[in-house]
Each structure stands twice: as C-alpha cells, then as structure tokens.
Coordinates of all heavy atoms in Angstrom, one line a residue:
F262 N 87.2 88.8 90.2 CA 88.3 88.6 91.1 C 89.7 88.7 90.4 O 90.6 89.3 90.9 CB 88.2 87.3 91.9 CG 89.4 87.0 92.7 CD1 89.5 87.6 94.0 CD2 90.3 86.0 92.3 CE1 90.6 87.3 94.8 CE2 91.4 85.7 93.2 CZ 91.5 86.3 94.4
I263 N 89.7 88.1 89.2 CA 91.0 88.1 88.5 C 91.4 89.5 88.1 O 92.6 89.8 88.1 CB 90.8 87.2 87.2 CG1 92.2 86.9 86.6 CG2 89.9 87.8 86.2 CD1 93.1 86.1 87.4
A264 N 90.5 90.4 87.9 CA 90.8 91.8 87.5 C 91.4 92.4 88.8 O 92.3 93.3 88.6 CB 89.6 92.5 87.1
L265 N 91.0 92.1 90.0 CA 91.6 92.7 91.2 C 93.0 92.2 91.3 O 93.9 92.9 91.7 CB 90.7 92.3 92.4 CG 89.3 92.8 92.4 CD1 88.6 92.3 93.7 CD2 89.2 94.3 92.4
M266 N 93.2 90.9 91.0 CA 94.6 90.4 91.1 C 95.5 91.0 90.1 O 96.6 91.4 90.4 CB 94.6 88.9 90.9 CG 93.8 88.1 91.9 SD 94.5 88.2 93.6 CE 96.0 87.3 93.3
Y267 N 95.0 91.2 88.9 CA 95.9 91.9 87.9 C 96.1 93.3 88.2 O 97.2 93.9 87.9 CB 95.2 91.8 86.5 CG 95.3 90.4 85.9 CD1 94.3 89.9 85.1 CD2 96.4 89.6 86.1 CE1 94.4 88.6 84.5 CE2 96.5 88.3 85.5 CZ 95.5 87.8 84.8 OH 95.6 86.6 84.2
H268 N 95.1 94.0 88.8 CA 95.3 95.4 89.3 C 96.5 95.4 90.3 O 97.4 96.3 90.2 CB 94.1 95.9 89.9 CG 94.3 97.3 90.5 ND1 94.3 98.4 89.8 CD2 94.4 97.7 91.8 CE1 94.5 99.5 90.6 NE2 94.6 99.0 91.8
G269 N 96.5 94.5 91.2 CA 97.6 94.5 92.2 C 98.9 94.2 91.6 O 99.9 94.8 91.9
R270 N 98.9 93.4 90.5 CA 100.2 93.1 89.8 C 100.6 94.3 89.0 O 101.8 94.7 89.1 CB 99.9 91.9 88.8 CG 101.2 91.6 88.0 CD 100.8 90.8 86.7 NE 99.9 91.7 85.8 CZ 99.4 91.2 84.7 NH1 99.6 90.0 84.3 NH2 98.7 92.1 83.9
D271 N 99.7 95.0 88.3 CA 100.1 96.1 87.5 C 100.5 97.3 88.3 O 101.3 98.1 87.8 CB 98.9 96.5 86.6 CG 98.5 95.4 85.6 OD1 99.4 94.5 85.4 OD2 97.4 95.4 85.1
T272 N 100.0 97.5 89.5 CA 100.4 98.6 90.4 C 101.6 98.3 91.3 O 102.0 99.1 92.1 CB 99.2 99.0 91.3 OG1 98.8 97.9 92.0 CG2 98.1 99.6 90.4
G273 N 102.1 97.0 91.1 CA 103.3 96.7 92.0 C 103.0 96.5 93.4 O 103.8 96.8 94.3
A274 N 101.8 96.1 93.7 CA 101.3 96.0 95.1 C 102.0 94.8 95.9 O 102.2 94.9 97.1 CB 99.8 95.8 95.2
Y275 N 102.4 93.8 95.2 CA 102.9 92.6 95.8 C 104.4 92.6 96.0 O 105.1 93.0 95.1 CB 102.5 91.3 95.1 CG 101.0 91.2 94.9 CD1 100.4 91.3 93.6 CD2 100.1 91.0 95.9 CE1 99.1 91.2 93.4 CE2 98.8 90.9 95.7 CZ 98.2 91.0 94.5 OH 96.9 90.9 94.3
E276 N 104.9 92.1 97.1 CA 106.3 92.0 97.3 C 106.8 90.7 96.8 O 107.2 89.7 97.5 CB 106.6 92.1 98.8 CG 108.1 92.3 99.2 CD 108.3 92.2 100.7 OE1 108.2 91.1 101.3 OE2 108.6 93.3 101.2
L277 N 106.8 90.6 95.5 CA 107.2 89.3 94.8 C 108.0 89.6 93.5 O 107.7 90.7 92.9 CB 105.9 88.5 94.4 CG 105.2 87.7 95.4 CD1 103.9 87.2 94.8 CD2 106.0 86.6 96.0
P278 N 108.9 88.8 93.2 CA 109.6 88.9 91.9 C 108.7 88.8 90.8 O 107.6 88.1 90.9 CB 110.7 87.8 91.9 CG 110.8 87.4 93.3 CD 109.5 87.6 94.0
E279 N 108.9 89.5 89.7 CA 108.0 89.6 88.6 C 107.7 88.2 88.0 O 106.6 87.9 87.6 CB 108.5 90.5 87.5 CG 107.6 90.7 86.4 CD 108.1 91.8 85.4 OE1 109.1 92.5 85.7 OE2 107.5 91.9 84.3
D280 N 108.8 87.3 88.0 CA 108.6 86.0 87.4 C 107.7 85.0 88.3 O 107.3 84.0 87.9 CB 109.9 85.3 87.1 CG 110.8 85.2 88.4 OD1 110.4 85.7 89.4 OD2 111.9 84.6 88.3
E281 N 107.4 85.4 89.5 CA 106.6 84.6 90.4 C 105.1 85.1 90.5 O 104.3 84.4 91.0 CB 107.1 84.6 91.8 CG 108.5 84.0 91.9 CD 109.0 84.0 93.4 OE1 108.2 84.2 94.3 OE2 110.2 83.7 93.6
L282 N 104.9 86.2 89.9 CA 103.5 86.8 90.0 C 102.5 86.0 89.3 O 101.3 85.8 89.8 CB 103.5 88.2 89.4 CG 104.1 89.3 90.3 CD1 104.2 90.6 89.5 CD2 103.3 89.5 91.5
A283 N 102.8 85.4 88.1 CA 101.8 84.6 87.4 C 101.4 83.4 88.2 O 100.2 83.1 88.3 CB 102.3 84.2 86.0
H284 N 102.3 82.7 88.8 CA 102.0 81.6 89.6 C 101.2 82.0 90.9 O 100.3 81.3 91.3 CB 103.3 80.8 90.0 CG 103.1 79.7 91.0 ND1 102.5 78.5 90.6 CD2 103.3 79.7 92.4 CE1 102.4 77.8 91.7 NE2 102.9 78.4 92.8
F285 N 101.6 83.1 91.5 CA 100.9 83.6 92.6 C 99.4 83.9 92.3 O 98.5 83.5 93.1 CB 101.6 84.9 93.1 CG 100.9 85.6 94.2 CD1 100.9 85.1 95.5 CD2 100.1 86.7 93.9 CE1 100.2 85.8 96.5 CE2 99.4 87.4 94.9 CZ 99.5 86.9 96.2
I286 N 99.2 84.6 91.2 CA 97.8 84.9 90.8 C 97.0 83.7 90.5 O 95.8 83.5 91.0 CB 97.8 85.9 89.6 CG1 98.4 87.2 90.1 CG2 96.4 86.0 89.1 CD1 98.6 88.2 88.9
A287 N 97.6 82.7 89.8 CA 96.9 81.5 89.5 C 96.6 80.7 90.8 O 95.5 80.1 90.9 CB 97.8 80.6 88.6
A288 N 97.5 80.6 91.7 CA 97.3 79.9 93.0 C 96.2 80.5 93.8 O 95.3 79.8 94.3 CB 98.6 79.8 93.8
R289 N 96.2 81.9 93.9 CA 95.2 82.5 94.7 C 93.8 82.4 94.0 O 92.8 82.2 94.7 CB 95.5 84.0 94.8 CG 96.8 84.4 95.5 CD 96.8 84.0 97.0 NE 97.0 82.6 97.2 CZ 98.2 82.0 97.0 NH1 99.2 82.7 96.7 NH2 98.3 80.7 97.3
T290 N 93.7 82.4 92.7 CA 92.5 82.3 92.0 C 91.9 80.9 92.2 O 90.7 80.7 92.4 CB 92.6 82.6 90.5 OG1 93.2 83.9 90.3 CG2 91.3 82.4 89.7
Q291 N 92.8 79.9 92.1 CA 92.4 78.5 92.3 C 91.8 78.3 93.8 O 90.8 77.6 94.0 CB 93.5 77.5 92.1 CG 93.2 76.1 92.2 CD 92.2 75.6 91.1 OE1 91.9 76.3 90.2 NE2 91.7 74.4 91.3
M292 N 92.5 78.9 94.7 CA 92.0 78.8 96.1 C 90.6 79.4 96.3 O 89.8 78.8 96.9 CB 93.0 79.5 97.1 CG 94.3 78.7 97.3 SD 95.3 79.6 98.5 CE 94.3 79.5 100.0
M293 N 90.5 80.5 95.6 CA 89.2 81.2 95.7 C 88.1 80.4 95.1 O 87.0 80.2 95.7 CB 89.3 82.6 95.1 CG 88.0 83.4 95.1 SD 86.9 83.0 93.7 CE 87.9 83.4 92.3
R294 N 88.3 79.8 93.9 CA 87.3 79.0 93.2 C 86.9 77.8 94.0 O 85.8 77.4 94.0 CB 87.8 78.7 91.8 CG 87.9 79.9 90.9 CD 88.2 79.4 89.5 NE 88.3 80.6 88.6 CZ 87.3 81.2 88.0 NH1 86.0 80.8 88.3 NH2 87.5 82.2 87.2
L295 N 87.9 77.2 94.7 CA 87.6 76.0 95.5 C 87.0 76.3 96.8 O 86.5 75.4 97.5 CB 88.9 75.2 95.7 CG 89.6 74.6 94.4 CD1 90.9 73.9 94.8 CD2 88.6 73.6 93.8
G296 N 87.1 77.6 97.2 CA 86.6 77.9 98.5 C 87.5 77.5 99.6 O 87.1 77.2 100.8
D297 N 88.8 77.4 99.3 CA 89.8 76.9 100.3 C 89.9 78.0 101.4 O 90.3 79.1 101.1 CB 91.1 76.7 99.6 CG 92.2 76.0 100.4 OD1 92.0 76.0 101.7 OD2 93.2 75.6 99.9
S298 N 89.7 77.6 102.6 CA 89.7 78.6 103.7 C 91.1 78.6 104.4 O 91.2 79.3 105.4 CB 88.6 78.3 104.7 OG 88.8 76.9 105.2
T299 N 92.1 78.0 103.8 CA 93.4 78.0 104.5 C 93.9 79.4 104.4 O 94.1 80.0 103.3 CB 94.3 77.0 103.7 OG1 93.8 75.7 103.7 CG2 95.7 77.0 104.4
P300 N 94.3 80.0 105.5 CA 94.8 81.4 105.5 C 96.2 81.4 105.0 O 97.0 80.5 105.3 CB 94.7 81.8 106.9 CG 94.8 80.6 107.7 CD 94.1 79.5 106.9
I301 N 96.5 82.4 104.2 CA 97.9 82.6 103.7 C 98.3 84.1 104.0 O 97.4 85.0 104.1 CB 98.1 82.3 102.3 CG1 97.2 83.2 101.4 CG2 97.7 80.8 102.0 CD1 97.5 83.1 99.9
N302 N 99.6 84.3 104.1 CA 100.1 85.7 104.3 C 100.5 86.3 102.9 O 101.1 85.6 102.1 CB 101.2 85.8 105.2 CG 100.8 85.4 106.6 OD1 99.7 85.6 107.0 ND2 101.8 85.0 107.5
I303 N 100.1 87.5 102.7 CA 100.4 88.2 101.4 C 101.3 89.4 101.8 O 100.9 90.3 102.6 CB 99.2 88.7 100.7 CG1 98.3 87.5 100.3 CG2 99.6 89.5 99.4 CD1 97.0 87.9 99.6
N304 N 102.5 89.4 101.3 CA 103.4 90.5 101.6 C 103.3 91.6 100.5 O 103.3 91.3 99.3 CB 104.9 90.0 101.6 CG 105.2 89.1 102.7 OD1 104.5 89.0 103.7 ND2 106.2 88.2 102.5
L305 N 103.0 92.8 101.0 CA 102.9 93.9 100.0 C 104.2 94.6 99.9 O 105.1 94.6 100.8 CB 101.8 94.9 100.5 CG 100.4 94.3 100.7 CD1 99.4 95.4 101.1 CD2 99.9 93.6 99.5
A306 N 104.3 95.3 98.8 CA 105.6 96.0 98.5 C 105.9 97.1 99.5 O 107.0 97.5 99.6 CB 105.5 96.6 97.0
D307 N 104.8 97.7 100.1 CA 105.1 98.8 101.0 C 105.4 98.3 102.4 O 105.5 99.1 103.4 CB 103.9 99.7 101.1 CG 102.6 99.0 101.6 OD1 102.7 97.8 102.0 OD2 101.6 99.7 101.6
G308 N 105.6 97.0 102.6 CA 106.0 96.4 103.9 C 104.9 95.8 104.7 O 105.2 95.1 105.7
Q309 N 103.7 96.1 104.3 CA 102.6 95.5 105.1 C 102.4 94.0 104.8 O 102.7 93.6 103.7 CB 101.3 96.3 104.8 CG 101.3 97.7 105.2 CD 99.9 98.4 105.0 OE1 99.1 98.3 105.8 NE2 99.7 98.9 103.8

C-alpha cells in the first residue's frame, strides 16, 4: 500500500502542497493499518 501512496506522490496525483504530502501519506497509512472506516475525501490534481 505504501508503494501506491508514493506512486501517487511521485506522479503529482494529489492536490496538496508538497510539504503536506508526507503527513497525508502517513495519516492514510495509519488509517489503513487500523482498519478505520471513516470516509475521507481525496482531492486529485486534475480536479477530481
């Protein structure tokens, strides 16, 4: 999973400032490991 997150970071998929990407990836990874089912919205760079 972490490789998928880094791929999104490296390809500029996320609509986030570069200095926030590390925290974003860490938070999403922690949610996944805990099985947290709380839905969150992810803004992509292409507007989706």
Side-chain angles (χ1 to χ4, degrees):
F262 175 75
I263 191 66
L265 298 177
M266 298 295 296
Y267 285 147
H268 172 79
R270 179 201 64 183
D271 296 340
T272 57
Y275 305 113
E276 190 185 70
L277 283 173
E279 188 173 349
D280 56 353
E281 296 181 14
L282 283 173
H284 174 73
F285 171 79
I286 292 175
R289 297 295 76 75
T290 303
Q291 182 67 10
M292 286 184 63
M293 179 275 301
R294 292 188 180 278
L295 295 176
D297 189 346
S298 60
T299 304
I301 63 168
N302 292 337
I303 298 177
N304 296 336
L305 300 184
D307 62 3
Q309 297 187 88

